[in-house]
C-alpha cells in the first residue's frame, strides 16, 4: 500500500510538472528562481522534515499535500534543468530547419526532458517509499535533532549547489 501511495503521489506531481514546464516553454517563460532550491538535496531535506512531522503529530493529510507540493517543485526543477541544458544548445539550430515551437518540443525537447524526469521519478518514488516505511517502522518518537541537523545540512548543500560559483567562493573566503 505504501508503494502504491508513493507511485500515485509521484506520478500525479510528475505529470503536472511536465504540463507546467511545457506551458512555460511554449510561452518562453522560466519558472521562478526559488525552484532551484528543490534539487536532490533540497528534496531530501524537505521530505525528511515533512515525514518527521507527519508521524510525530499524525498530520497525515496535510503532510501528504505538502509532500506533493515538494515533489512537484522537485520535478519542475528537474525538467527546467534539462530544458536549459538542451534548449540553449539546440533551439536555434532546430528552429532554423523550419520546425515550429510545438513540433520542436514534441519531437525533440520532450524526449530529452522526459529522460531526466524518469531519473528524478525513480529516485523520488524510492526515497518517498523508504521514508514512509522507515518512519512507520520506528515505534518510538525520534529525537528532533536526529532529523533537524541533517535537514539543515542538506539545505545548506542546496544553497551551495544552486548558487553561482563566485558567490559561494566569496562566502567561504
Amino acid at each position: 500500500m505504501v508503494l502504491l501511495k508513493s507511485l500515485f503521489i509521484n506520478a500525479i506531481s510528475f505529470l503536472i510538472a511536465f504540463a507546467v514546464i511545457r506551458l512555460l516553454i511554449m510561452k518562453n517563460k522560466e519558472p521562478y528562481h526559488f525552484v532551484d532550491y528543490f534539487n536532490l538535496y533540497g528534496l531530501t531535506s524537505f521530505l525528511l522534515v515533512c515525514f518527521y512531522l507527519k508521524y510525530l503529530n499524525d498530520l497525515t493529510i496535510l503532510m501528504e499535500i505538502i509532500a506533493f507540493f515538494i515533489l512537484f517543485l522537485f520535478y519542475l526543477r528537474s525538467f527546467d534543468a534539462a530544458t536549459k541544458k538542451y534548449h540553449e544548445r539546440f533551439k536555434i539550430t532546430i528552429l532554423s530547419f523550419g520546425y515550429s515551437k510545438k513540433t520542436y518540443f514534441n519531437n525533440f525537447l520532450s524526449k530529452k526532458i522526459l529522460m531526466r524526469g524518469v531519473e528524478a521519478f525513480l529516485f523520488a518514488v524510492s526515497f518517498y517509499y523508504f521514508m514512509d516505511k522507515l518512519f512507520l517502522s520506528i515505534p518510538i518518537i525520534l529525537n528532533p535533532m536526529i532529523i533537524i541537523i541533517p535537514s539543515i545540512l542538506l539545505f545548506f548543500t542546496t544553497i551551495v549547489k544552486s548558487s553561482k560559483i563566485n558567490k559561494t567562493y566569496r562566502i567561504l573566503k
Side-chain angles (χ1 to χ4, degrees):
M1 185 68 180
V2 174
L3 181 62
L4 290 176
K5 181 174 68 169
S6 174
L7 283 170
F8 179 74
I9 289 173
N10 276 285
I12 297 299
S13 58
F14 179 89
L15 293 173
I16 292 172
F18 185 76
V20 167
I21 200 71
R22 183 181 188 280
L23 180 71
L24 290 173
I25 290 170
M26 293 300 163
K27 294 193 178 219
N28 284 333
K29 296 188 178 188
E30 291 185 13
Y32 294 111
H33 292 291
F34 78 91
V35 172
D36 290 339
Y37 294 117
F38 289 90
N39 57 16
L40 194 64
Y41 308 114
L43 172 79
T44 307
S45 172
F46 292 124
L47 280 184
L48 189 62
V49 171
C50 186
F51 276 104
Y52 179 72
L53 292 174
K54 176 182 171 182
Y55 288 106
L56 179 68
N57 298 324
D58 290 331
L59 298 172
T60 306
I61 295 175
L62 176 65
M63 287 301 139
E64 293 294 340
I65 292 169
I66 292 172
F68 170 80
F69 188 67
I70 291 168
L71 288 166
F72 165 74
L73 292 173
F74 171 66
Y75 290 128
L76 191 62
R77 191 248 176 231
S78 178
F79 290 143
D80 184 48
T83 299
K84 285 178 183 174
K85 179 180 178 183
Y86 295 106
H87 199 52
E88 291 173 357
R89 291 182 188 171
F90 300 110
K91 178 183 175 187
I92 303 295
T93 307
I94 291 177
L95 290 179
S96 68
F97 290 136
Y99 287 101
S100 67
K101 278 187 198 177
K102 187 175 181 180
T103 56
Y104 161 69
F105 182 82
N106 291 338
N107 293 338
F108 179 73
L109 193 58
S110 65
K111 295 173 187 173
K112 300 294 184 186
I113 64 175
L114 279 175
M115 286 307 295
R116 175 78 64 96
V118 167
E119 175 187 342
F121 178 78
L122 292 174
F123 174 77
V125 167
S126 65
F127 187 74
Y128 188 97
Y129 174 76
F130 174 71
M131 294 306 293
D132 221 358
K133 281 294 197 179
L134 179 70
F135 282 105
L136 276 174
S137 66
I138 299 174
I140 57 172
I141 297 175
L142 287 174
N143 182 359
M145 297 313 283
I146 294 173
I147 302 300
I148 294 186
I149 290 173
S151 295
I152 291 171
L153 290 173
L154 285 166
F155 184 72
F156 284 140
T157 307
T158 298
I159 291 171
V160 169
K161 173 105 171 131
S162 63
S163 67
K164 303 291 183 213
I165 293 171
N166 293 334
K167 289 181 185 177
T168 306
Y169 178 72
R170 277 188 242 140
I171 290 170
L172 295 175
K173 188 176 173 184

